[in-house]
């Protein structure tokens, strides 16, 4: 069973790495993030559930060390539980990320949204807040 799952993962990775459209999309993301950091912008990252864990990991790789010693890049996971419970209580869970985007985001920053469905109201509102910024 384990060998079968690893083979499936390898097959999916091979398929993905052969997809010119997917590679072009990743290259575009890299260019956007690079331009953001070069202009002293920040990257804000958010998601729900496991995607929030991915957001925290993504941000810490930029601000910590990834593969080599280097200066940290300004990346922030919107994951503070005190903020989330405060906003959820006072404004509703659909605004837990958008309020931080409005409070922390500036023109030139990048918001990375991690979502399985892409339809979570709090993710949609975060995107709207970023567009307004």
């Amino acid at each position: 069973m384990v060998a079968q799952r690893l083979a499936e993962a390898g097959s999916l990775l091979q398929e993905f790495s052969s997809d010119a459209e997917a590679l072009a999309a990743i290259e575009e993301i890299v260019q956007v993030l690079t331009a953001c950091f070069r202009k002293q912008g920040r990257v804000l990252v958010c998601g729900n559930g496991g995607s929030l864990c991915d957001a925290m990991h993504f941000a810490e790789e930029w601000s910590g060390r990834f593969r080599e010693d280097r200066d940290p890049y300004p990346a922030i996971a919107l994951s503070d539980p005190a903020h989330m419970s405060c906003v959820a209580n006072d404004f509703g869970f659909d605004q837990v990320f958008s309020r931080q985007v409005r409070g922390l985001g500036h023109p030139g920053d990048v918001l990375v949204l991690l979502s399985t469905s892409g339809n979570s109201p709090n993710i949609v509102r975060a995107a709207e807040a970023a567009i307004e910024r």
Side-chain angles (χ1 to χ4, degrees):
M1 180 73 128
V2 172
Q4 179 184 354
R5 296 294 183 228
L6 289 172
E8 288 174 10
S11 176
L12 287 171
L13 184 57
Q14 180 60 41
E15 183 180 330
F16 184 78
S17 64
S18 301
D19 184 335
E21 191 174 312
L23 293 175
I26 291 172
E27 183 62 34
E28 184 177 353
I29 292 167
V30 168
Q31 296 302 322
V32 167
L33 292 174
T34 300
C36 173
F37 290 140
R38 283 190 177 139
K39 293 178 181 177
Q40 305 300 308
R42 293 174 289 199
V43 173
L44 308 176
V45 195
C46 62
N48 290 302
S51 294
L52 182 58
C53 296
D54 291 338
M56 292 186 301
H57 186 194
F58 184 84
E60 64 85 10
E61 291 290 6
W62 289 107
S63 59
R65 181 178 78 182
F66 178 72
R67 298 192 184 194
E68 59 188 40
D69 290 339
R70 56 165 171 71
D71 286 339
Y73 292 103
I76 306 162
L78 305 182
S79 59
D80 179 357
H83 167 84
M84 293 177 80
S85 66
C86 169
V87 172
N89 184 62
D90 294 346
F91 299 99
F93 193 71
D94 61 326
Q95 294 193 41
V96 295
F97 300 127
S98 62
R99 290 195 61 84
Q100 282 191 307
V101 169
R102 289 198 315 272
L104 298 173
H106 295 93
D109 290 347
V110 172
L111 175 63
V112 176
L113 304 167
L114 303 178
S115 175
T116 302
S117 71
N119 298 319
S120 298
N122 59 2
I123 296 294
V124 172
R125 289 191 186 244
E128 293 168 350
I131 291 167
E132 290 172 12
R133 282 300 208 197

